[in-house]
């Protein structure tokens, strides 16, 4: 079934797919249906061998202005518990292929959390990142206190979470939250360019390297190094390792197959 709130481009460049959040009338507020569609779309792209990297964007005005407040406003704690939005977010988090967020305009609350759940972020000059949940009487619920703090440090995260202040793309770049800032006309193109750079690498090595970098967030250094070593050895079981090293020795470009 066609998603209502997403536009999916299976191939915007070689081995690169693009998912656009498409609920512009509500600044791409992340309602339950949109998140469920996103989960399904990412699952399908993750399983598609033609796809090696995925760009996730909104539109120029908003990446996403947060979870849908109209859907949450009247809910009880038990309603929230029963809705179990976390299973959707957890499934998205399990995407093995690299996700690159292309952010323009608002990335707020759940929108900022969704961008941070991606592996890299390219932003337009108009991008504004924020965790304004405090202004509506709650607090971040999908990683905003954790991923933001790890990315930009306690002082800046605490200020954003406790005051709801937005930061600009330039501030986000200086703080280490994002990878690049571009003029508005170029942010999507730049994100696709970055995705293409990743998509020419061995897809197996990319997935295992992503997994190992993410391991740094929830393990001790010793455990993380052990995990890294395991994946490093494992890649020597791949044809791509043979191809990559042979291509280097033969002074030619490698042709990776993901095997
Ligand atoms: N939800 C629903 N509708 C929203 C929305 C949102 N988050 N943000 C904007 N809209 C709607 C507006 O209501 C308006 O709709 P109409 O009145 O035209 O029908 C339309 O989008 C345009 O918005 P504005 O007229 O307000 O546009 P402005 O340019 O004046 O202001 C703004 C833009 C982004 C500053 C403002 O719209 C705003 O403050 N929006 C709310 C931002 C916010 O508080 N975001 C955090 C929401 S809480 C969880 C996962 C995630 C979360 C929680 C749990 N689990 C896994 C359990 C996340 C929670 C949140 O994100």
């Amino acid at each position: 079934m066609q998603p209502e709130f997403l536009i999916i481009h299976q191939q915007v460049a070689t081995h690169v797919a693009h998912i656009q959040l498409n609920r512009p009338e509500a600044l791409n507020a992340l309602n339950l249906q949109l998140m469920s569609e996103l989960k399904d779309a990412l699952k399908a792209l993750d399983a598609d061998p033609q796809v090696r990297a995925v760009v996730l964007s909104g539109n120029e005005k908003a990446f996403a202005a947060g979870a849908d407040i109209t859907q949450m406003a009247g809910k009880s704690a038990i309603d929230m518990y029963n809705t179990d939005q976390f299973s959707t977010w957890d499934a998205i988090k399990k995407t093995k292929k690299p996700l690159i967020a292309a952010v323009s305009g608002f990335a707020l609350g759940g929108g900022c959390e969704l961008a941070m759940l991606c592996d890299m972020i390219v932003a337009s000059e108009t991008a504004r990142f924020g965790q304004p949940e405090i202004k509506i009487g709650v607090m971040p619920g999908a990683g905003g206190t954790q991923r933001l703090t790890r990315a930009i440090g306690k002082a800046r995260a605490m200020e954003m979470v406790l005051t709801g202040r937005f930061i600009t793309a330039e501030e986000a770049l200086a703080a280490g939250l994002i990878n690049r800032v571009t003029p508005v006309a170029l942010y999507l193109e730049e994100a696709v360019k970055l995705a293409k750079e990743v998509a020419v690498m061995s897809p197996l090595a990319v997935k295992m390297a992503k997994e190992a970098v993410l391991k740094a967030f929830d393990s001790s250094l010793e455990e993380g190094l052990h995990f890294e070593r395991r994946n490093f050895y494992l890649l020597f079981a791949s044809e791509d390792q043979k191809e990559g090293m042979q291509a280097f020795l033969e002074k030619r470009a490698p042709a990776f197959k993901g095997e």
Side-chain angles (χ1 to χ4, degrees):
M1 215 172 62
Q2 281 297 100
E4 184 179 349
F5 298 124
L6 303 178
I7 300 172
I8 301 170
H9 303 278
Q10 203 75 18
Q11 183 159 307
V12 275
T14 310
H15 299 307
V16 177
H18 173 208
I19 301 177
Q20 184 182 0
L21 308 177
N22 189 36
R23 220 190 143 208
E25 70 288 354
L27 300 179
N28 290 331
L30 305 168
N31 65 15
L32 296 174
Q33 184 182 332
L34 185 154
M35 290 306 290
S36 173
E37 289 176 358
L38 182 59
K39 174 196 68 167
D40 292 344
L42 284 171
K43 190 171 176 202
L45 294 174
D46 222 21
D48 181 344
Q50 284 311 309
V51 174
R52 296 184 182 179
V54 180
V55 172
L56 178 63
S57 78
N59 53 49
E60 271 184 29
K61 185 146 187 237
F63 177 72
D68 191 325
I69 299 171
T70 55
Q71 251 180 2
M72 286 187 296
K75 288 207 167 145
S76 69
I78 301 300
D79 293 334
M80 290 298 279
Y81 177 81
N82 284 334
T83 308
D84 191 20
Q85 294 174 63
F86 287 110
S87 61
T88 309
W89 285 75
D90 287 347
I92 291 172
K93 192 179 74 180
K94 287 196 185 120
T95 306
K96 290 198 158 144
K97 290 175 185 171
L99 293 179
I100 293 158
V103 175
S104 186
F106 300 112
L108 306 177
C112 187
E113 292 171 317
L114 182 60
M116 289 191 292
L117 196 145
C118 295
D119 303 305
M120 291 184 268
I121 303 176
V122 174
S124 86
E125 287 162 343
T126 65
R128 295 291 177 272
F129 297 86
Q131 297 290 160
E133 291 91 337
I134 202 80
K135 294 183 180 169
I136 52 171
V138 286
M139 59 175 278
T145 62
Q146 302 303 303
R147 288 199 182 90
L148 186 66
T149 307
R150 281 169 163 80
I152 69 177
K154 177 188 162 192
R156 284 181 284 222
M158 198 64 97
E159 185 175 339
M160 285 175 71
V161 169
L162 297 189
T163 69
R165 185 173 86 81
F166 302 165
I167 58 170
T168 64
E170 284 300 338
E171 285 176 293
L173 184 68
L177 183 64
I178 66 174
N179 297 74
R180 310 228 195 310
V181 181
T182 73
V184 184
L186 296 179
Y187 78 101
L188 192 53
E189 192 180 317
E190 186 65 26
V192 172
K193 201 168 127 202
L194 186 56
K196 276 167 68 181
E197 266 183 62
V198 177
V200 294
M201 305 300 169
S202 159
L204 270 176
V206 165
K207 278 193 249 178
M208 286 196 207
K210 164 175 169 167
E211 197 180 23
V213 172
L214 291 177
K215 196 76 186 165
F217 287 96
D218 60 9
S219 64
S220 67
L221 179 60
E222 209 45 49
E223 283 165 346
L225 288 171
H226 185 75
F227 189 85
E228 177 189 79
R229 196 167 308 168
R230 194 204 68 164
N231 278 6
F232 176 74
Y233 284 149
L234 195 53
L235 286 170
F236 280 75
S238 71
E239 285 180 28
D240 282 352
Q241 174 267 327
K242 303 286 175 287
E243 166 64 9
M245 294 193 180
Q246 195 58 37
F248 175 81
L249 296 175
E250 291 170 11
K251 300 187 187 304
R252 61 173 172 82
F256 292 123
K257 292 191 290 195
E259 291 167 7

